[in-house]
């Protein structure tokens, strides 16, 4: 028997178990065929599965697996490469399709390679101890080929085929090696079973809601979403001003659309973890814990009381085989452009889904073209419906004006809410006040101190800390910035919401960076916003008089001088260049703004992703993955002394690095610039507890209001003495 996997005995009564390579290959072929059948490439899926592990037939590999598993310790373990053999056989058996079939087979362990690396292995010979004619399957032109139209389609097709093979391989290996984990998969409900839960939740919500103008408009938006949900698979936008119930309405549209068109899941991508946590909490209330998968760096399933559910959810993060997935833009798009098996494994489960992009105005402009091209490929090739939700829709619909800016948008983008609804007028609860004179920190702090309840949003951490330091620091004065770790930010937002719920007439002042701007459900009568883009200004205004509890709210847009060069500066200049605007909240004003912003954007493909991926004869998957990073890795992560971090760091020191432990510690990290890192490191405040894992044990370097500080408190104490 040619062995594919060896399972050691779990106790003295058990024996060694063996899975034949024939059985494993057939199982993988069946799964990959099923996955790929959803987009017309079932034959390709089957062939990849049958060929992917042919290299295991080598005698050297059989010796390797017997030795490395501990089954035969008399054999010296010499690692042997096997994936290239299946790629060679694909070239021999299917020369007309080897460019589509071979790279996935060759990379199913190491990842998709650049074309020249793949071409180099094609010069090798099939080992003599491998059957060179293993299968006899005629391969016709796949029916899904007719959908290949755009130059970006090929690389996304190959990644999704790669995903089919990788997930099938992992799932079958898991079923043999770890039956317990395998049993946790597939236990969530389907979307048809979830719809009555949503209907029941909405019915109760309406029964308990007050009859206000805002709630009536929310009902109108939901009804419109039900009416239009039968529209065909495509690109849609749901543009609803802040407070109009956009999140729930988008879910209503998505679940009805999915059921109508037999789609398998709803994937919601959100720019900020603070919004994800809030959204996921609402979804779990509606559908129950077992039906909502929350996937981002800060979620910690190890703390769930239900350990079986915890394991079920943790395993589901590997491939997104779940009815409702809530994740980050970073997780979604970096996976779509990744070359690594672990990242790509989930991609085939985006096929035939509804993909909701929440707060779509936050998509990074420097990656906007490859992102939009990728979404168009998923829509065209894989029947993925894309729903863009926002209060400030960017100019993403293709037209001659944006083409002049060297950006190609979506040519079939349909808005769900017609202009005749005039939601921007009906939901008007705020007046914008643009201030002409420049202010300084002291002036802004003095104005904030005069307000009863006020939110101030600025563009940088330094501005936030400087203004906060000028205010009295009582229990209802709050600071929010990325100098605080995620656990601290979450607690502070919860504290702000609790303070706002109290009616004790205490002052509430919040000074924050943009992290609170989109999607966080808070309501202030007065908001101050440092000059930025119109989308940011309107998002800030969305935190003002959100529930319409007063006649009109007031949002003041002020300047602190020049902004840092780059996006914020360009966005602010785009807003300042707009003249003769009658209604800042009108959809046409937003389009006008984005025209101005796009004209100031140097490139919508800053890293030249097109050069790596748009040539079907020379795809560079590895290089593209290396440069497609939505968040610059210029900062250095340090663990701060907050909450439970000291205990977790001690556990790290004593037990070593593990994925669950590092995920927990991720809640207590702050990313700092290299110069700030060097300052703290040379002052002796930073300790390297493991290779590349840094910790600031001194609790006084982390303020419970503002987060990480860079002042040397030891020097301050010496000076005081």
């Amino acid at each position: 028997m040619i062995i594919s996997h060896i399972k050691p005995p779990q106790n003295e009564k058990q024996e060694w178990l063996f899975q034949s390579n024939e059985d494993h290959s057939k199982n993988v072929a069946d799964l990959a065929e099923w996955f790929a059948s959803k987009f017309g490439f079932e034959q390709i899926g089957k062939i990849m599965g049958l060929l992917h592990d042919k290299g295991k037939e080598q005698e050297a590999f059989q010796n390797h697996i017997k030795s490395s598993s501990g089954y035969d310790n008399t054999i010296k373990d010499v690692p042997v490469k096997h994936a290239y053999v299946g790629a060679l056989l694909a070239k021999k058996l299917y020369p007309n399709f080897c460019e589509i079939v071979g790279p996935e087979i060759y990379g199913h362990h190491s990842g998709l390679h650049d074309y020249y690396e793949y071409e180099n292995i094609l010069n090798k010979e099939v080992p003599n101890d491998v059957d060179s004619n293993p299968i006899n399957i005629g391969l016709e032109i796949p029916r899904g080929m007719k959908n290949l139209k755009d130059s970006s389609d090929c690389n996304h097709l190959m990644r999704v085929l790669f995903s089919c093979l990788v997930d099938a391989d992992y799932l079958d290996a898991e079923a043999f090696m770890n039956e317990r984990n395998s049993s946790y998969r597939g236990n969530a409900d389907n979307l048809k079973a979830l719809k009555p839960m949503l209907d029941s939740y909405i019915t109760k919500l309406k029964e308990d809601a007050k009859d206000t103008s805002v709630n009536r408009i929310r009902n109108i938006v939901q009804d419109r979403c039900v009416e239009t949900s039968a529209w065909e698979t495509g690109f849609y936008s749901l543009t609803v001003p802040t407070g109009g119930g956009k999140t729930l309405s988008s879910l209503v549209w998505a679940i009805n659309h999915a059921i109508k068109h037999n789609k398998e899941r709803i994937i919601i991508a959100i720019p900020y973890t603070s919004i994800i946590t809030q959204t996921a909490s609402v979804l779990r209330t509606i559908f129950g814990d077992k039906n909502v998968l929350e996937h981002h760096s800060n979620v910690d399933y190890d703390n769930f009381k239900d350990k079986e559910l915890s394991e079920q959810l943790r395993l589901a993060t590997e491939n997104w085989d779940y009815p409702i997935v809530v994740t980050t833009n970073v997780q979604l798009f970096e996976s779509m452009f990744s070359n690594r098996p672990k990242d790509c494994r989930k991609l085939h489960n985006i096929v035939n889904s509804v993909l909701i992009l929440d707060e779509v105005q936050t998509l990074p402009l420097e990656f906007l073209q490859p992102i939009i091209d990728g979404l168009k490929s998923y829509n065209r090739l894989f029947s993925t419906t894309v729903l863009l939700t926002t209060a400030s829709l960017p100019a993403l619909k293709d037209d001659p004006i944006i083409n002049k800016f060297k950006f190609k948008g979506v040519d079939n983008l349909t808005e769900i809410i017609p202009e005749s609804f005039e939601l921007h007028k009906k939901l008007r609860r705020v007046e914008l006040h643009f201030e002409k004179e420049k202010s300084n920190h002291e002036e802004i702090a003095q104005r904030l101190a005069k307000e009863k309840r006020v939110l101030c949003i600025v563009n940088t951490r330094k501005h936030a800390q400087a203004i906060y330091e000028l205010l009295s620091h009582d229990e209802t004065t709050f600071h929010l910035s990325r100098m605080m770790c995620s656990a601290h930010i979450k607690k502070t937002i919860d504290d702000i919401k609790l303070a706002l719920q109290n009616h004790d007439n205490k002052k509430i002042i919040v000074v924050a960076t943009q992290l609170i701007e989109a999607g966080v459900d808070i309501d202030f009568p007065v908001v101050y916003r440092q000059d930025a883009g119109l989308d940011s200004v309107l998002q800030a205004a969305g935190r003002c008089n959100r529930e319409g509890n007063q006649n009109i709210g007031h949002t003041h847009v002020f300047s602190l001088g020049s902004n840092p060069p780059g996006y914020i500066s360009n966005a602010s200049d785009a807003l300042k260049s707009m003249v003769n605007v009658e209604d800042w909240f009108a959809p046409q004003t937003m389009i006008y703004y984005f025209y101005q912003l796009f004209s100031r954007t140097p490139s919508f493909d800053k890293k030249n992703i097109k050069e790596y991926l748009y040539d079907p004869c020379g795809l560079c998957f590895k290089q593209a993955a290396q440069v497609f990073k939505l968040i610059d890795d210029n900062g250095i992560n340090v663990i701060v002394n907050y909450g439970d971090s000291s205990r977790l760091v001690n556990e790290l020191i004593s037990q070593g690095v593990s994925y669950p432990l590092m995920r927990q510690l991720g809640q207590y990290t702050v990313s700092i610039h290299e110069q700030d890192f060097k300052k703290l490191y040379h002052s002796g405040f930073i300790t390297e507890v493991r290779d590349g894992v840094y910790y600031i044990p001194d609790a006084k370097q982390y303020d419970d209001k503002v987060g990480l500080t860079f002042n040397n408190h030891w020097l301050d104490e010496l000076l005081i003495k």
Side-chain angles (χ1 to χ4, degrees):
M1 178 177 68
I2 302 297
I3 301 169
S4 185
H5 298 104
I6 301 177
K7 183 177 181 179
Q10 304 301 300
N11 53 56
E12 294 180 356
K13 295 182 179 179
Q14 289 186 352
E15 298 180 347
W16 290 84
L17 298 177
F18 303 88
Q19 183 185 35
S20 72
N21 203 40
E22 181 181 4
D23 286 347
H24 172 63
S25 297
K26 182 181 182 304
N27 293 343
V28 172
D30 289 345
L31 273 174
E33 179 182 21
W34 177 43
F35 295 153
S37 69
K38 298 172 185 178
F39 52 96
F41 280 81
E42 55 271 20
Q43 278 190 307
I44 297 286
K46 184 173 184 178
I47 289 167
M48 289 192 305
L50 291 173
L51 294 180
H52 81 290
D53 271 357
K54 291 298 291 181
K56 288 184 177 180
E57 293 179 4
Q58 300 171 89
E59 182 181 357
F61 188 90
Q62 291 297 296
N63 287 335
H64 160 65
I65 194 171
K66 291 174 184 176
S67 174
S68 61
S69 65
Y71 175 71
D72 189 342
N73 293 321
T74 66
I75 301 174
K76 183 180 179 181
D77 183 18
V78 179
V80 179
K81 295 185 182 297
H82 72 279
Y84 78 95
V85 176
L88 294 179
L89 290 172
K91 178 187 177 184
K92 175 185 176 182
L93 298 170
Y94 305 102
N96 294 332
F97 294 94
C98 68
E99 294 296 335
I100 293 180
V101 180
E104 293 90 336
I105 296 173
Y106 176 50
H108 75 271
H109 286 297
S110 56
L112 288 168
H113 295 264
D114 295 338
Y115 74 96
Y116 51 84
E117 294 177 337
Y118 170 66
E119 288 181 345
N120 286 339
I121 67 103
L122 295 179
N123 296 320
K124 293 186 176 184
E125 297 292 332
V126 177
N128 293 329
D129 45 1
V130 172
D131 181 3
S132 294
N133 296 286
I135 59 176
N136 183 22
I137 299 176
L139 179 54
E140 301 174 354
I141 296 176
R143 56 188 171 88
M145 276 286 195
K146 68 180 185 299
N147 296 321
L148 282 168
K149 296 177 182 178
D150 190 86
S151 57
S152 74
D153 285 351
C154 188
N155 78 82
H156 290 292
L157 170 64
M158 292 178 68
R159 272 201 201 80
V160 175
L161 285 170
F162 180 59
S163 171
C164 294
L165 175 61
V166 168
D167 194 32
D169 190 23
Y170 284 174
L171 288 174
D172 185 66
E174 180 184 75
F176 177 77
M177 298 294 292
N178 194 331
E179 293 180 31
R180 183 171 179 269
N181 277 3
S182 185
S183 70
Y184 287 135
R185 297 190 183 273
N187 293 327
D189 296 322
N190 60 35
L191 291 178
K192 287 184 179 179
L194 297 186
K195 186 177 182 300
M197 302 180 192
L198 178 60
D199 293 342
S200 175
Y201 177 83
I202 290 175
T203 298
K204 188 174 188 309
L205 197 65
K206 290 180 178 179
E207 289 173 352
D208 296 341
K210 296 178 181 178
D211 183 19
T212 65
S213 59
V214 171
N215 284 332
R216 286 194 293 272
I217 291 171
R218 289 170 180 170
N219 292 339
I220 291 171
V221 172
Q222 281 185 22
D223 291 343
R224 175 66 177 173
C225 285
V226 173
E227 293 169 9
T228 59
S229 61
W231 287 350
E232 293 301 313
T233 295
F235 273 88
Y236 299 97
S237 56
L238 179 64
T239 308
V240 178
T242 302
K246 168 173 55 69
T247 300
L248 196 55
S249 293
S250 66
L251 186 62
V252 168
W253 190 93
I255 201 165
N256 281 280
H257 179 81
I259 292 171
K260 171 69 176 178
H261 297 288
N262 296 314
K263 298 193 182 299
E264 297 182 23
R265 59 188 50 81
I266 296 169
I267 300 168
I268 306 171
I270 297 174
Y272 309 119
T273 54
S274 56
I275 312 177
I276 290 179
T277 302
Q278 176 179 285
T279 301
S281 177
V282 172
L283 293 174
R284 282 193 289 265
T285 300
I286 299 171
F287 302 115
D289 290 347
K290 77 166 189 174
N291 291 313
V292 179
L293 176 65
E294 188 178 355
H295 186 194
H296 55 87
S297 58
N298 289 336
V299 68
D300 184 12
Y301 287 122
D302 295 320
N303 286 335
F304 272 43
K305 293 181 180 179
D306 186 336
K307 296 305 178 185
E308 288 194 2
L309 177 59
S310 168
E311 190 64 11
Q312 177 180 321
L313 292 166
R314 186 189 66 77
L315 289 167
T317 63
E318 297 175 349
N319 67 352
W320 285 5
D321 185 11
Y322 231 69
I324 297 179
V325 179
V326 191
T327 190
T328 62
N329 287 347
V330 172
Q331 180 70 238
L332 171 67
F333 291 117
E334 290 192 2
S335 293
M336 284 173 60
F337 285 88
S338 179
N339 71 316
R340 298 167 57 201
K342 180 182 176 183
D343 296 331
C344 292
R345 182 179 174 184
K346 63 178 76 75
L347 296 182
H348 75 92
N349 279 324
I350 305 177
V351 171
N352 196 35
S353 68
V354 180
L355 175 58
I356 300 176
L357 298 182
D358 193 26
E359 306 294 352
V360 69
Q361 78 283 351
T362 63
L363 290 178
L365 294 185
E366 61 268 28
F367 290 101
L368 191 59
Q369 191 65 71
I371 285 174
I372 293 299
D373 289 347
L375 292 172
K376 288 193 284 189
S377 292
Y378 271 77
N379 170 246
R380 181 165 48 244
L381 300 180
F382 310 124
S383 298
T384 301
T385 286
V386 180
L387 177 61
L388 312 175
T389 68
T390 180
S392 314
L393 184 66
L396 297 180
K397 190 169 185 176
D398 190 33
D399 69 37
I401 296 178
I402 65 169
N403 289 341
K404 291 179 182 178
F405 308 139
K406 297 182 179 180
F407 172 69
K408 178 73 173 175
V410 180
D411 56 8
N412 58 341
L413 178 60
T414 303
E415 173 59 48
I416 292 172
I417 305 297
E419 288 187 19
S420 60
F421 277 34
E422 295 188 320
L423 294 186
H424 66 287
K425 292 182 179 179
K426 294 174 181 176
L427 286 169
R428 183 75 51 84
R429 305 179 301 281
V430 181
E431 283 186 5
L432 293 180
H433 306 277
F434 292 92
E435 301 179 359
K436 296 180 180 180
E437 299 299 324
K438 175 185 168 184
S439 299
N440 57 38
H441 294 145
E442 290 79 5
E443 290 168 341
I444 296 299
Q446 289 171 8
R447 293 173 66 182
L448 297 179
K450 294 177 182 178
E451 301 287 352
K452 190 67 178 177
R453 293 189 170 192
V454 61
L455 166 66
C456 177
I457 302 175
V458 292
N459 294 332
T460 68
R461 302 170 178 180
K462 289 184 178 179
H463 284 322
Q465 187 164 346
I467 293 172
Y468 175 81
E469 292 295 344
L470 294 167
L471 298 165
S472 60
H473 297 172
D474 56 32
E475 69 273 14
T476 55
T477 304
F478 301 93
H479 165 276
L480 276 170
S481 81
R482 292 294 175 191
M483 293 312 295
M484 301 157 66
C485 64
S486 295
H488 192 182
I489 290 172
K490 182 180 182 302
K491 180 183 182 301
T492 303
I493 290 176
D494 289 343
D495 289 344
I496 292 170
K497 289 181 177 180
L498 183 62
L500 289 170
Q501 290 171 7
N502 294 332
H503 301 284
D504 51 13
N505 288 323
K506 282 188 177 180
K507 274 195 172 202
I508 301 175
I509 302 176
V510 178
V511 182
T513 57
Q514 303 99 305
L515 69 87
I516 203 171
E517 193 164 77
V520 180
D521 291 337
I522 53 174
D523 187 359
F524 284 85
V526 179
V527 170
Y528 280 71
R529 180 59 169 99
Q530 185 183 357
D531 57 332
L534 179 59
D535 54 335
S536 295
V537 169
L538 295 188
Q539 287 291 340
R543 313 307 119 197
C544 183
N545 195 23
R546 182 181 179 87
E547 296 299 326
N549 292 325
Q550 58 194 63
N551 184 37
I552 197 74
H554 297 277
T555 295
H556 302 270
V557 183
F558 64 91
S559 172
L560 290 172
S562 60
N563 282 305
Y567 174 79
I568 293 177
S569 180
N570 288 341
S572 178
D573 290 344
L575 175 59
K576 291 173 184 175
S577 68
M578 298 172 68
V579 295
N580 300 323
V581 175
E582 295 182 1
D583 186 351
W584 288 105
F585 294 87
Q588 290 303 317
T589 303
M590 185 55 60
I591 293 174
Y592 176 26
Y593 161 72
F594 275 104
Y595 285 163
Q596 294 289 336
L597 177 60
F598 282 14
S599 71
R600 291 167 168 77
T601 302
S603 174
F604 296 93
D605 185 11
K606 183 179 179 181
K607 299 296 184 178
N608 294 316
I609 304 299
K610 182 176 182 178
E611 300 299 319
Y612 296 118
L613 294 176
Y614 286 20
D615 181 359
C617 297
L619 300 174
C620 293
F621 292 104
K622 185 189 294 185
Q623 291 185 60
Q626 289 171 347
V627 298
F628 191 93
K629 302 294 181 186
L630 297 191
I631 298 177
D632 289 333
D633 294 329
N634 297 333
I636 300 173
N637 287 329
V638 294
I639 303 166
V640 295
N641 192 331
Y642 177 83
D644 207 25
S645 67
S646 60
R647 180 188 67 80
L648 293 171
V649 167
N650 289 332
E651 190 175 326
L652 175 67
I653 294 170
S654 61
Q655 299 181 18
V657 174
S658 68
Y659 177 71
L661 181 57
M662 295 308 295
R663 191 173 61 215
Q664 291 181 68
L665 281 168
Q667 301 176 71
Y668 303 105
T669 63
V670 173
S671 178
I672 59 177
H673 296 301
E674 184 177 0
Q675 62 267 30
D676 293 324
F677 177 88
K678 289 179 179 179
K679 177 181 177 181
L680 290 172
Y681 188 83
H682 292 309
S683 298
F685 289 112
I686 293 179
T687 301
E688 188 170 10
V689 292
R690 287 278 174 177
D691 290 343
V693 180
Y694 301 102
Y695 176 49
I696 302 178
D698 190 343
K700 289 189 177 181
Q701 285 300 130
Y702 193 84
D703 187 273
D704 64 357
K705 285 284 191 178
V706 300
L708 182 62
T709 62
F710 298 110
N711 62 299
N712 189 327
H713 70 85
W714 290 111
L715 181 60
D716 291 342
E717 289 182 10
L718 287 172
L719 290 174
I720 290 171
K721 290 178 182 179

